């Protein structure tokens, strides 16, 4: 009973549960991607990634950032906020379902149908996630763990029992989004009434969310524009190989995110410069260790996870990993800039990074193929991260070594935090 009590109290800790959630998402996510890669092969995997990137871009554009104002209105104590937002969200979803149905009827393409379903479901899912962050954060964390696990189990069933079929896997992803939406609606205890949506409030949501939509679009382009441009010059098989590096990099980013959330969590106040420096040092150290592991054991890891068919992706993966430290810096500093009202700085830095990425992709990919895309990505990541880092150190009069070079005190502090958390449990 004593052990059960300790476990219960430990899961009640925001620090412990955040780290636990990230670890679970990394494990199940990588296993799911491993099954998908083996199931589809390089060519279909390339087509699969291309479709998902298009869906992600459409989701941001067509979503119009309607959910961006939710935290702001929550702070301003908007009456019946949850119900009003849900009515508007589902009115938007109904309109898109009608338009999507017309597109499917005209094209009569199974892939187009799945893309339409995924786009509408992903928009609604993104909106519900924003509500979850504000209204019930712990429920959202538990739901993410459950949905990742369901995604893995459904993918495993497809891998074991269903012949190679990309549309089936897209359907699995759609099921994951629907689970999120239904679970959030049950948690909200409200059935949306789209025909009662307040048009005046909807207009405010559009105006407020437009800039947030542009910023989110630039962030997405910075991660995915390379795959979209590659489609113009290279076969899907090359995109499939390239996606190995980009996907692994995205999961590596979850590790620094976990450290960031554990250290900041609910205790971060004001600018917390010393806290940011500490988090940055630890994140950079962890990232460099992961890069070293990939450089030394990368071929073995790729072979175990994805099979011999993907071994040619090793060099691409190694290059893409070199850009991770810069993006870690951006991810850590971006909240500080946003909190200080420097949204325009974030926006124009992302814009410059995306333009560099697009320009280099069109210049280099025709000559160097997927390696050209990897190099372009690393350069754009570096420009983005280094601008934030240089501006940060100048603004707060910091030495670069104090932000990047890990100290013995950092390890001691982490150890003490862990011991303190265990004692409290």
């Amino acid at each position: 009973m004593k052990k059960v009590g300790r476990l219960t109290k430990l899961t009640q800790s925001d620090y412990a549960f955040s780290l636990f959630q990230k670890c679970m998402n990394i494990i199940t996510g990588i296993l799911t991607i491993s099954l998908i890669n083996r199931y589809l092969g390089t060519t279909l995997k390339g087509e699969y990634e291309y479709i998902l990137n298009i869906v992600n871009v459409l989701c941001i554009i067509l979503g119009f950032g309607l959910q961006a104002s939710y935290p702001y209105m929550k702070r301003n104590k908007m009456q019946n906020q949850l119900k009003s937002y849900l009515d508007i969200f589902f009115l938007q979803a109904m309109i898109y379902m009608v338009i999507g149905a017309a597109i499917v009827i005209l094209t009569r393409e199974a892939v187009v149908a799945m893309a339409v379903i995924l786009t509408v479901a992903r928009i609604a899912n993104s909106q519900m996630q924003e509500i979850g962050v504000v209204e019930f954060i712990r429920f959202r964390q538990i739901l993410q763990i459950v949905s990742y696990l369901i995604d893995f189990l459904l993918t495993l069933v497809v891998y074991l029992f269903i012949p190679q079929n990309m549309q089936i896997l897209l359907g699995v992803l759609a099921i994951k989004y629907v689970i999120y939406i239904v679970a959030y609606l049950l948690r909200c205890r409200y059935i949306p009434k789209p025909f009662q949506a307040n048009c005046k409030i909807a207009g405010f949501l559009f105006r407020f969310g437009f800039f947030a939509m542009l910023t989110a679009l630039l962030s997405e382009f910075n991660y995915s524009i390379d795959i979209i441009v590659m489609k113009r010059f290279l076969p899907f098989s090359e995109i499939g190989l390239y996606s190995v590096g980009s996907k692994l990099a995205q999961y590596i980013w979850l590790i620094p995110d976990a450290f960031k959330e554990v250290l900041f969590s609910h205790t971060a106040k004001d600018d917390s410069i010393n806290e940011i420096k500490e988090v940055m040092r630890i994140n950079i150290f962890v990232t460099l260790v992961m890069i070293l592991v990939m450089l030394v054991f990368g071929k073995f890891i790729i072979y175990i996870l994805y099979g011999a068919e993907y071994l040619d992706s090793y060099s691409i993966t190694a290059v893409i990993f070199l850009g991770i430290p810069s993006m870690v810096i951006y991810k850590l500093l971006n909240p500080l800039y946003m909190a200080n009202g420097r949204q325009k700085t974030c926006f124009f830095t992302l814009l410059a990074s995306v333009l560099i990425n697009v320009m280099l992709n069109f210049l280099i990919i025709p000559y160097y193929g997927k390696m050209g895309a990897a190099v372009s990505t690393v350069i754009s990541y570096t420009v983005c991260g280094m601008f934030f880092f240089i501006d940060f150190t100048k603004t707060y009069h910091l030495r670069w070594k104090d932000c990047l070079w890990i100290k013995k005190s950092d390890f001691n502090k982490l150890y003490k935090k862990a011991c303190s958390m265990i004692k409290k449990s």
Side-chain angles (χ1 to χ4, degrees):
M1 291 293 294
K2 189 176 181 180
K3 288 184 178 180
V4 174
R6 284 192 171 188
L7 181 61
T8 302
K9 290 181 180 180
L10 192 61
T11 58
Q12 291 174 349
S13 164
D14 291 326
Y15 291 104
F17 201 83
S18 175
L19 186 58
F20 172 73
Q21 178 215 338
K22 293 294 183 183
C23 289
M24 288 296 296
N25 289 354
I26 291 169
I27 293 170
T28 53
I30 289 178
L31 289 175
T32 302
I33 291 297
S34 174
L35 292 174
I36 291 173
N37 284 1
R38 289 175 177 271
Y39 178 75
L40 292 178
T42 56
T43 300
L44 278 180
K45 180 57 165 50
E47 187 175 354
Y48 176 83
E49 288 296 330
Y50 177 75
I51 292 171
L52 290 187
N53 277 277
I54 295 297
V55 167
N56 291 343
V57 171
L58 288 174
C59 172
I60 294 170
I61 296 173
L62 298 177
F64 292 108
L66 296 189
Q67 70 274 19
S69 62
Y70 197 89
Y72 173 80
M73 296 307 293
K74 184 71 175 180
R75 287 195 297 269
N76 285 275
K77 303 185 185 303
M78 174 183 175
Q79 290 185 348
N80 298 318
Q81 179 182 354
L82 180 61
K83 295 179 180 179
S84 297
Y85 272 73
L86 287 175
D87 291 343
I88 293 169
F89 292 162
F90 277 79
L91 174 62
Q92 183 188 41
M94 284 184 60
I95 293 171
Y96 286 158
M97 282 191 285
V98 172
I99 296 173
I103 293 173
V104 171
I105 291 171
L106 290 173
T107 59
R108 297 182 180 181
E109 291 284 343
V111 173
V112 173
M114 287 308 309
V116 167
I117 294 170
L118 279 173
T119 301
V120 177
R122 184 171 172 81
I123 290 172
N125 171 63
S126 299
Q127 293 167 341
M128 301 302 287
Q129 292 279 6
E130 186 68 32
I131 291 176
V133 169
V134 177
E135 300 290 353
F136 17 78
I137 182 66
R138 180 52 55 86
F139 175 81
R140 177 179 179 271
Q141 291 173 326
I142 295 173
L143 183 58
Q144 282 193 333
I145 294 173
V146 173
S147 68
Y148 267 74
L149 183 59
I150 291 174
D151 188 19
F152 167 70
L153 293 175
L154 289 175
T155 304
L156 180 61
V157 171
V158 172
Y159 178 79
L160 292 175
F161 302 109
I162 300 178
Q164 192 181 58
N165 188 318
M166 183 182 65
Q167 283 80 13
I168 293 294
L169 284 181
L170 293 174
V172 168
L173 196 56
I175 291 172
K176 177 182 175 181
Y177 293 149
V178 170
I179 289 173
Y180 271 124
I181 295 166
V182 172
Y184 278 123
L185 287 177
L186 291 173
R187 183 64 178 81
C188 293
R189 297 177 181 177
Y190 177 70
I191 299 175
K193 301 177 177 63
F195 296 110
Q196 296 181 17
N198 189 314
C199 294
K200 186 177 180 180
I201 295 176
F204 166 77
L205 266 58
F206 274 96
R207 293 191 298 273
F208 191 103
F210 183 73
F211 190 81
M213 180 269 287
L214 290 179
T215 304
L217 185 61
L218 287 177
S219 296
E220 180 62 32
F221 275 153
N222 215 24
Y223 300 140
S224 64
I225 195 66
D226 42 8
I227 289 179
I228 295 174
V229 175
M230 285 174 71
K231 171 63 172 60
R232 182 182 178 91
F233 301 105
L234 301 174
F236 281 124
S237 58
E238 293 292 277
I239 297 176
L241 290 171
Y242 181 84
S243 69
V244 170
S246 62
K247 281 295 182 183
L248 282 176
Q250 289 177 27
Y251 282 110
I252 294 302
W253 287 332
L254 288 178
I255 298 174
D257 277 349
F259 277 96
K260 177 185 68 176
E261 291 178 11
V262 169
L263 290 173
F264 280 130
S265 191
H266 298 106
T267 61
K269 295 179 181 180
D270 301 321
D271 287 350
S272 303
I273 301 304
N274 289 330
E275 194 82 7
I276 291 174
K277 289 193 298 182
E278 178 185 322
V279 170
M280 192 179 297
R281 291 194 300 266
I282 294 172
N283 276 278
I284 293 298
F285 174 77
V286 171
T287 302
L288 292 176
V289 170
M290 297 305 298
I291 291 173
L292 182 61
V293 169
M294 178 54 62
L295 292 175
V296 176
F297 303 105
K299 284 191 175 181
F300 177 74
I301 293 172
I302 290 171
Y303 177 78
I304 293 297
L305 289 177
Y306 309 129
E309 187 178 7
Y310 287 90
L311 282 176
D312 287 343
S313 67
Y314 166 73
S315 58
I316 302 299
T317 303
V319 171
I320 292 176
F321 266 49
L322 297 178
I324 294 178
S326 296
M327 286 310 292
V328 166
I329 292 173
Y330 160 72
K331 285 164 70 71
L332 291 174
L333 293 181
N334 184 60
L336 172 67
Y337 279 66
M338 297 295 285
N340 284 331
R342 299 185 64 183
Q343 293 94 331
K344 289 185 178 180
T345 300
C346 298
F347 176 80
F348 285 110
T349 302
L350 276 173
L351 178 61
S353 178
V354 170
L355 290 175
I356 290 171
N357 201 352
V358 172
M359 180 184 67
L360 290 177
N361 272 308
F362 276 101
L363 289 175
I364 302 177
I365 289 177
Y367 298 99
Y368 298 100
K370 58 183 180 292
M371 182 56 74
V375 172
S376 301
T377 296
V378 171
I379 292 174
S380 68
Y381 286 178
T382 302
V383 168
C384 183
M386 288 303 99
F387 172 83
F388 275 95
F389 180 73
I390 293 170
D391 186 73
F392 172 68
T393 53
K394 285 186 175 180
T395 300
Y396 294 97
H397 309 290
L398 305 172
R399 296 189 305 171
W400 68 268
K401 288 191 294 185
D402 292 335
C403 301
L404 300 180
W405 195 254
I406 196 164
K407 301 177 181 180
K408 185 178 179 180
S409 60
D410 296 328
F411 292 109
N412 293 334
K413 205 166 191 178
L414 281 175
Y415 177 76
K416 289 179 181 178
K417 282 179 180 288
C419 291
S420 175
M421 189 170 62
I422 292 172
K423 287 180 181 179
K424 288 179 182 179
S425 68

